[in-house]
Amino acid sequence: MASPARSGRMLLTAPALAIIVAFMLLPLLLMAYISILEKGPAGGVRWGAHTVEAYVAFLFERDLADELVLNTDYLRIFLRSFWLAGLTTLITLAIGFPTALGMALAPPRWRTFLIFLVTVPFWANLLVRNYAWIILLRNNGLVDQARHAVGLGSGPLDLLYTPVAVLIGLVYSYLPFMVLPIFASLEKLDWRLVEAAFDLGARRWQALRRIVVPLAMPGIVAGCILVFIPGLGAFITPELLGGGKALMIGNLIQSQFGAARNWPFGAALSFALLALVLLAMLAYLLRYRAPPGAER
Amino acid sequence: MADKAPAAVEVVAVSKRFGSGADAVVALDEVSLALRPNEFFTLLGPSGCGKTTLLRLIAGFEQPSAGQILIDGEPVAGLPPYRRPVNTVFQSYALFPHMTVAQNVAFGLEMRRRPAAEIAATVAEMLALVRLGGLEARRPAQLSGGQQQRVALARALANHPKVLLLDEPLSALDLKLRKEMQAELKRIQHATGLTFVFVTHDQGEALTMSDRIAVMSGGRVLQVGTPEDIYERPTHRFVADFIGDTNLLEAECIAHDASGSRCRVADGIEIATAQSAAVGTRVTLAIRPERVELARAAPTGWPARVESVTYFGTDTTVQMMLGGAVTFQARVQNRNGAVHAFAPGDTVRVSAPPDAVRIVAD
């Protein structure tokens, strides 16, 4: 099996493999180990003292009598994260698909410029862009001022530091990650197939639903993964726009390693998140074992 | 065409321009055609002649810049493709890669919201018609080129169109498969009784398959007629040249009477044609090589010198120089085997019956 050409090719992947092992696999194993250690009295861990306390703490807390009592605080943060990330995915899809379709249908000489426009936000740091949203959303900020100017109510909307503000920030931050993969798959689409659908009696909407969307599915799925998974672990946006009132998993993990000085619990939370993401990916792989139309 | 039945497709003075102003490209220039019901009608011409544009206008993918199109007597101006009683077999087949063969064929019927039982019956009937029974569950990528072609045909026919448009459907197939599909298309056309509009640049295909052919060039229709008309009696230099081999001779008409006219090609070479032309006019004569008669020592005929002899199996082509300046070829059937009657350098006598000599317009 291992022909010379094949082993040569394996050699080419060696640097990438080395980086993945050194900077991803090893830290991951370290985190896995930390998650089953006892926390140190002043942060850090007690090496050699093994316990599953950190995983238990996810759902239960100990009352004064040292009995385990159900505590849904952390579960609710997880659920809120999934809810916000899921909603972000749906909204970016609803905005991103028509955008990508418009870009793919634009004259070729315009397309490069449109792609450029989509990538412009990346030129500024994510932190800066989130601060910009604070200016927009805060009481008597630009959104309020604009609303008052056109006579839509008076007084502040109290948008900032709510889950809605976090959602707006997440949609804004992740929209390009939805648009670009969908655009890539729509750009490759054979539009003669759409013409054939029209010829066979399909209206615009039917052609979109039966031909364009199924054939763009790899791009749609890629976009959803690229938005949902980072959205789940988002940290800056809920921190700045949620103001600590709309915590997400990312903030929780950060606080365990920081202020709470509970490394094992932070590591355990990270692995709970990783396990859920892997489950979601597995479900996806089982659903789409082969991309549509890719079979021989 | 004075009968009561309307033309299957009528194209009335249709022009199509792409772009505007000085950059405008005229793809079709005042084209008029009337297609009879149940006819196998071919649009023949080189690439860029406007034949595919005309097909797309009939299908509704483009709208004419001027003129109008009637399908089954009804004007279709402004109607989108899905409201026209025509279906297209695309050059690329355009099969939906994410659907099975059966789903592809059922697509048009589903768009027209036919009942499920009818769809299933029609899909089975169409796949049987194109001899693809048993492949219902395959994906297009799992089929050979010929099978994909049949699916495209079944998919277009399933909608029961009044007119089937075929855009160079055989050009992607190899020669053997192409011959097979030519016969298959003719069989299906007879079985369904539909009007077929077939676009091709392959003159052999056009001659063998068509009831009538329209030869197109530069956005205009030059000649419409049966394959025999087109081949035996071309009206234009382009038609004579594009379809089959032909000898084109510049000549001047020197005499003319009830039976035709005489034209002088060069000093001492006068050719009789059954057509008439005014004395003194410059004309172009077209003569098919297989209608040319060659003799080593005939009392009449035009003297020519043999330049080269090429053996083609069924026949032999003899290249000659006529009157020292005009090249000319004759095709001699090898009816008695490869008899090398002529050799380069020989002097021969050449003649052609007057009805084989056609005056063609430039």
Side-chain angles (χ1 to χ4, degrees):
Chain A
M1 281 292 280
S3 64
R6 201 185 169 92
S7 57
R9 255 177 282 154
M10 291 299 284
L11 207 62
L12 287 174
T13 64
L17 275 175
I19 286 174
I20 289 175
V21 167
F23 295 106
M24 194 181 136
L25 205 57
L26 289 181
L28 215 56
L29 288 172
L30 187 62
M31 288 289 279
Y33 186 58
I34 286 176
S35 75
I36 54 165
L37 288 176
E38 272 180 33
K39 70 169 179 172
V45 291
R46 286 177 58 199
W47 296 100
H50 298 132
T51 171
V52 291
E53 193 70 21
Y55 288 96
V56 174
F58 179 59
L59 282 178
F60 302 98
E61 60 184 353
R62 291 187 189 277
D63 63 8
L64 294 171
D66 210 27
E67 302 272 324
L68 287 178
V69 183
L70 190 67
N71 172 11
T72 56
D73 286 356
Y74 302 126
L75 194 63
R76 259 186 279 151
I77 293 177
F78 263 62
L79 286 178
R80 181 193 293 135
S81 298
F82 271 90
W83 166 244
L84 280 174
L87 213 53
T88 303
T89 309
L90 284 180
I91 296 172
T92 50
L93 181 61
I95 302 172
F97 186 84
T99 308
L101 190 61
M103 286 166 67
L105 290 173
R109 64 203 157 85
W110 281 35
R111 275 184 217 158
T112 323
F113 180 66
L114 291 171
I115 296 169
F116 165 76
L117 284 184
V118 171
T119 56
V120 159
F122 293 128
W123 292 23
N125 187 286
L126 185 64
L127 210 54
V128 174
R129 287 185 280 141
N130 275 289
Y131 271 115
W133 274 104
I134 293 180
I135 296 169
L136 288 170
L137 296 177
R138 72 173 180 211
N139 287 349
N140 284 319
L142 284 177
V143 170
D144 274 350
Q145 287 173 25
R147 200 165 49 88
H148 298 155
V150 297
L152 279 169
S154 59
L157 257 184
D158 283 326
L159 264 180
L160 194 58
Y161 308 134
T162 63
V164 175
V166 175
L167 190 62
I168 291 174
L170 288 176
V171 167
Y172 162 78
S173 303
Y174 291 113
L175 190 56
F177 296 106
M178 184 62 86
V179 171
L180 292 177
I182 297 179
F183 170 72
S185 62
L186 285 178
E187 200 189 23
K188 281 184 300 185
L189 194 104
D190 183 354
W191 292 98
R192 290 175 299 188
L193 296 178
V194 177
E195 208 162 64
F198 286 145
D199 185 73
L200 290 165
R203 312 294 166 95
R204 283 169 168 276
W205 173 248
Q206 289 170 318
L208 186 72
R209 197 172 61 81
R210 296 288 306 271
I211 308 298
V212 178
V213 169
L215 291 176
M217 202 42 95
I220 293 173
V221 168
C224 288
I225 290 174
L226 285 179
V227 170
F228 183 74
I229 292 175
L232 211 49
F235 161 67
I236 292 176
T237 304
E239 182 81 14
L240 293 182
L241 302 181
K245 281 194 276 181
L247 274 184
M248 288 177 71
I249 306 172
N251 310 95
L252 185 60
I253 294 172
Q254 189 265 347
S255 69
Q256 294 310 315
F257 281 97
R261 294 181 179 268
N262 191 346
W263 288 19
F265 189 45
L269 287 173
S270 302
F271 272 91
L273 177 59
L274 187 64
L276 288 169
V277 168
L278 286 179
L279 273 178
M281 293 291 288
L282 195 68
Y284 158 70
L285 282 179
L286 289 176
R287 170 73 180 74
Y288 293 101
R289 188 159 297 155
E295 304 101 304
R296 271 186 300 118
Chain B
M1 294 297 290
D3 51 1
K4 287 188 296 286
V9 176
E10 199 171 353
V11 177
V12 187
V14 162
S15 295
K16 178 66 184 175
R17 283 179 298 277
F18 291 103
S20 57
D23 299 332
V25 176
V26 178
L28 284 177
D29 189 6
E30 298 221 358
V31 167
S32 292
L33 286 171
L35 277 59
R36 297 165 192 155
N38 311 337
E39 186 172 37
F40 197 115
F41 192 91
T42 297
L43 301 172
L44 174 66
S47 59
C49 74
K51 56 191 192 298
T52 295
T53 302
L54 181 54
L55 202 74
R56 291 176 62 81
L57 286 172
I58 298 172
F61 298 130
E62 315 270 358
Q63 297 293 329
S65 309
Q68 73 164 339
I69 294 171
L70 297 92
I71 297 173
D72 208 26
E74 300 286 327
V76 292
L79 282 190
Y82 57 81
R83 309 254 317 257
R84 297 187 180 206
V86 298
N87 283 110
T88 309
V89 176
F90 294 88
Q91 184 172 11
S92 61
Y93 312 147
L95 298 178
F96 305 132
H98 56 300
M99 298 184 193
T100 63
V101 166
Q103 286 168 338
N104 264 281
V105 178
F107 186 83
L109 298 163
E110 284 170 11
M111 291 301 107
R112 287 173 208 283
R113 305 192 187 289
R114 308 308 306 165
E118 184 194 319
I119 293 178
T122 309
V123 168
E125 183 196 338
M126 289 304 148
L127 288 177
L129 180 68
V130 299
R131 299 179 185 171
L132 275 186
L135 298 184
E136 288 84 354
R138 297 268 189 97
R139 296 285 170 111
Q142 296 170 311
L143 301 177
S144 70
Q147 288 170 329
Q148 290 183 22
Q149 170 68 76
R150 285 163 196 263
V151 177
L153 202 58
R155 187 178 69 174
L157 289 170
N159 266 11
H160 297 298
K162 286 177 176 154
V163 179
L164 188 72
L165 309 175
L166 301 107
D167 185 6
E168 307 222 10
L170 308 180
S171 59
L173 303 179
D174 61 48
L175 185 67
K176 192 168 179 299
L177 210 51
R178 195 152 70 220
K179 294 269 180 231
E180 214 177 289
M181 280 309 292
Q182 284 175 6
E184 195 71 4
L185 276 178
K186 283 298 279 184
R187 178 182 70 78
I188 289 167
Q189 197 238 343
H190 280 298
T192 56
L194 286 178
T195 308
F196 275 35
V197 185
F198 185 84
V199 161
T200 183
H201 62 265
D202 183 327
Q203 35 111 355
E205 209 165 88
L207 289 177
T208 53
M209 297 177 74
S210 316
D211 293 322
R212 286 195 305 155
I213 299 171
V215 183
M216 297 184 66
S217 172
R220 288 182 307 137
V221 171
L222 297 180
Q223 187 175 2
V224 182
T226 63
E228 267 178 58
D229 281 338
I230 301 282
Y231 188 82
E232 303 283 348
R233 293 174 288 279
T235 55
H236 288 72
R237 183 193 184 101
F238 178 86
V239 176
D241 201 27
F242 188 71
I243 295 144
D245 293 324
T246 200
N247 292 297
L248 290 165
L249 304 171
E250 304 296 332
E252 185 188 350
C253 191
I254 52 169
H256 133 100
D257 58 31
S259 66
S261 28
R262 292 190 67 77
C263 300
R264 182 165 60 216
V265 176
D267 279 339
I269 300 174
E270 288 172 11
I271 299 179
T273 163
Q275 287 171 290
S276 57
V279 172
T281 51
R282 301 289 309 173
V283 293
T284 304
L285 302 176
I287 307 170
R288 295 287 178 197
E290 69 273 16
R291 299 294 302 274
V292 173
E293 279 158 26
L294 282 189
R296 190 175 290 283
T300 57
W302 330 306
R305 192 164 48 84
V306 174
E307 296 281 310
S308 68
V309 177
T310 314
Y311 175 68
F312 278 103
T314 56
D315 45 43
T316 300
T317 296
V318 183
Q319 285 282 348
M320 289 162 289
M321 200 64 105
L322 208 57
V326 183
T327 58
F328 197 80
Q329 61 170 321
R331 191 166 300 150
V332 185
Q333 279 231 326
N334 296 328
R335 199 171 289 165
N336 304 316
V339 180
H340 298 290
F342 306 101
D346 287 358
T347 302
V348 290
R349 288 278 175 171
V350 186
S351 62
D355 71 299
V357 183
R358 305 296 302 178
I359 296 176
V360 292
D362 280 323

